[in-house]
Amino acid sequence: QVTLRESGPALVNPTQTLTLTCTLSGFSLSTGGMCVSWIRQPPGKALEWLALIDGHDDKYYSTSLKTRLTISKDTSKNQVVLTMTNMDPVDTATYYCAGGIMITFAGVFVLDRFDYWGQGTPVTVSS
Amino acid sequence: SYELTQPPSVSVSPGQTASITCSGDKLGDKYACWYQQKPGQSPVLVIHQDNKRPSGIPERFSGSNSGNTATLTISGTQAMDEADYYCQAWDSSTAEFGGGTKLTVL
């Protein structure tokens, strides 16, 4: 059985750095075609993709947020960590980690799908 | 960045066919996925690679993708299908989600 569990602070002060951890069970990033992403959803709004790391340790970031994001993995602990700097109240959202598959399509390595999602962790940015 | 556009809402009567569209530049040249999200729950994959159903997803869910539009079709819509639906595609090494469509079954 595959589970992904997000953990991190529920409340962050503006300008602080947010650190979130995704702990994987039954899912491994040791294979190149596997990947884990972070995705967020502000209250009542749409999903927004943030970052992805694959089994090759290649990293991909949202164009609009890439200067604030860092994604990394610790294969020995089966964890993926996301840091987001300079938090603002507009960053208030539920943050999900999702496990998926990368494939080769038209000669390019692309995301195929997110098969598994965590329950999400709510983060409020407020002083 | 790449943009995917969905209608904010779609309504359908029980037993009828619901179609939800997702538009993006040359979307037909990429793979499209669809996720279903019910209130208070995490998203669930219902279609990937344009038209493939994961194990456990009912046959009434189908997908297509051509030109600039991907379409999620739900045949014989049931009350349990009422949810938000998001399309997703990969472009220039980034993933993009559509703005979501609220499907109402009434």
Side-chain angles (χ1 to χ4, degrees):
Chain A
Q1 182 183 359
V2 174
T3 61
L4 287 79
R5 178 169 49 87
E6 305 92 347
S7 58
L11 180 64
V12 177
N13 287 323
T15 75
Q16 280 191 331
T17 294
L18 172 69
T19 299
L20 296 172
T21 301
C22 178
T23 302
L24 317 175
S25 176
F27 185 94
S28 175
L29 267 182
S30 59
T31 307
M34 311 301 282
C35 67
V36 170
S37 252
W38 285 94
I39 295 146
R40 71 180 179 181
Q41 186 171 37
K45 296 189 176 181
L47 300 171
E48 180 183 16
W49 177 77
L50 300 177
L52 180 149
I53 189 166
D54 67 21
H56 296 299
D57 206 29
D58 289 325
K59 300 159 188 174
Y60 306 83
Y61 294 101
S62 161
T63 302
S64 61
L65 292 169
K66 61 183 177 182
T67 60
R68 299 173 54 204
L69 297 172
T70 302
I71 192 169
S72 61
K73 66 182 174 78
D74 186 331
T75 306
S76 65
K77 293 183 179 179
N78 242 11
Q79 291 181 333
V80 172
V81 175
L82 179 77
T83 62
M84 179 181 288
T85 61
N86 195 24
M87 293 292 286
D88 183 273
V90 300
D91 297 314
T92 293
T94 294
Y95 286 75
Y96 295 98
C97 63
I101 303 288
M102 304 285 285
I103 61 171
T104 299
F105 177 60
V108 180
F109 208 44
V110 303
L111 171 69
D112 180 39
R113 64 192 188 265
F114 296 123
D115 285 313
Y116 309 104
W117 293 68
Q119 288 300 302
T121 186
V123 177
T124 299
V125 184
S126 175
S127 54
Chain B
S1 63
Y2 192 72
E3 290 189 6
L4 294 172
T5 302
Q6 299 179 234
S9 62
V10 168
S11 297
V12 63
S13 299
Q16 299 303 302
T17 297
S19 295
I20 300 173
T21 58
C22 174
S23 299
D25 185 48
K26 298 181 181 178
L27 180 56
D29 292 343
K30 314 174 197 304
Y31 276 144
C33 287
W34 291 91
Y35 297 89
Q36 175 194 69
Q37 186 181 33
K38 296 182 178 179
Q41 297 184 18
S42 303
V44 172
L45 177 71
V46 293
I47 292 289
H48 70 103
Q49 289 188 21
D50 299 337
N51 54 23
K52 294 184 178 179
R53 274 179 299 103
S55 173
I57 299 301
E59 290 185 10
R60 63 179 181 274
F61 287 87
S62 63
S64 63
N65 185 16
S66 179
N68 294 322
T69 304
T71 303
L72 173 68
T73 303
I74 309 173
S75 305
T77 307
Q78 300 182 10
M80 68 173 65
D81 300 329
E82 187 163 286
D84 293 327
Y85 290 86
Y86 293 92
C87 61
Q88 178 260 308
W90 182 263
D91 178 80
S92 301
S93 300
T94 63
E96 300 294 341
F97 286 96
T101 298
K102 181 176 181 58
L103 177 67
T104 301
V105 183
L106 41 68

